[in-house]
Amino acid sequence: MTTATAQKVTSSRHAVNVLQLTNPGHITTDEIVAQLRQRDYTWVEHRITQEHFPMREWKCDGSIRLRLIGYKEPMTSQRVLADARRRGLKERPLYEHGLIAALQRPQGRGLIVFLIKPWEDNPSGDSVVMAIENGSRLALDLVWWKNRIWPQGTRFGFPEPNGCKKKKQK
């Protein structure tokens, strides 16, 4: 499995990284979860399954670029989404981005959140898929996000507008 690559650009208010994910091939959510459990992940949310989050066909020919935006202040999910739109990042990430990023991400990336379209089947409210790293603890979790204040340094992943070369039709 190829690991993701990252670049970093900083400014006074926020830091921007580009995370490049490679096509994982034909893999199921359950297979990703099993691989994470065999690695250093100490927690994988039990509801992250093929049944709830089935892997859909990879729409890119090769890799996809995600922009990771971090802030030097606590941020609400609503402010992050508005800032992403202002930056031209109009598409929300897919849960597949979170799953593949968890599988391929380089270590030492800190808290990465993917503000996907909320999973409404969650009995405790709308959730997002996120990969967490707290020191040596790695986790893939579903977290309630409405009116949430994310701590300073949290990074949010969004697909870049031209970060995916579409597969050619046969």
Side-chain angles (χ1 to χ4, degrees):
M1 178 66 51
T2 306
T3 58
T5 58
Q7 300 172 305
K8 185 174 183 179
V9 178
T10 59
S11 79
S12 60
R13 263 193 75 222
H14 59 271
V16 177
N17 290 286
V18 175
L19 185 64
Q20 189 152 335
L21 303 176
T22 58
N23 185 337
H26 297 288
I27 190 168
T28 68
T29 302
D30 292 339
E31 290 169 334
I32 289 174
V33 167
Q35 287 185 37
L36 294 177
R37 288 189 172 132
Q38 289 174 354
R39 294 182 185 179
D40 296 334
Y41 277 72
T42 57
W43 171 260
V44 178
E45 167 61 46
H46 72 280
R47 292 172 293 182
I48 299 176
T49 64
Q50 183 68 20
E51 177 186 353
H52 297 300
F53 298 98
M55 291 296 288
R56 295 172 283 210
E57 181 185 354
W58 187 264
K59 301 289 186 197
C60 297
D61 187 18
S63 63
I64 186 168
R65 290 169 50 98
L66 300 177
R67 195 173 308 170
L68 298 180
I69 306 170
Y71 298 91
K72 295 184 178 183
E73 60 190 70
M75 294 289 284
T76 65
S77 299
Q78 291 82 355
R79 278 184 65 199
V80 171
L81 290 170
D83 184 54
R85 283 189 299 275
R86 182 186 63 74
R87 294 168 184 262
L89 302 171
K90 298 186 184 338
E91 288 186 47
R92 288 182 74 160
L94 302 173
Y95 60 77
E96 288 91 346
H97 296 144
L99 293 169
I100 296 165
L103 190 61
Q104 296 181 4
R105 70 188 287 222
Q107 299 296 315
R109 305 299 300 167
L111 178 60
I112 299 177
V113 174
F114 295 90
L115 293 173
I116 65 172
K117 180 180 175 193
W119 179 44
E120 297 171 0
D121 292 340
N122 183 0
S124 61
D126 295 342
S127 296
V128 296
V129 175
M130 60 187 277
I132 300 174
E133 181 179 320
N134 290 326
S136 62
R137 182 178 185 264
L138 288 171
L140 181 65
D141 209 349
L142 294 171
V143 176
W144 180 74
W145 74 280
K146 287 186 177 175
N147 301 316
R148 184 181 193 94
I149 298 176
W150 300 98
Q152 175 183 339
T154 301
R155 296 185 190 275
F156 300 87
F158 291 92
E160 287 200 334
N162 296 315
C164 169
K165 189 168 108 182
K166 299 289 183 191
K167 287 184 177 178
K168 294 178 183 168
Q169 297 291 332
K170 293 184 179 183

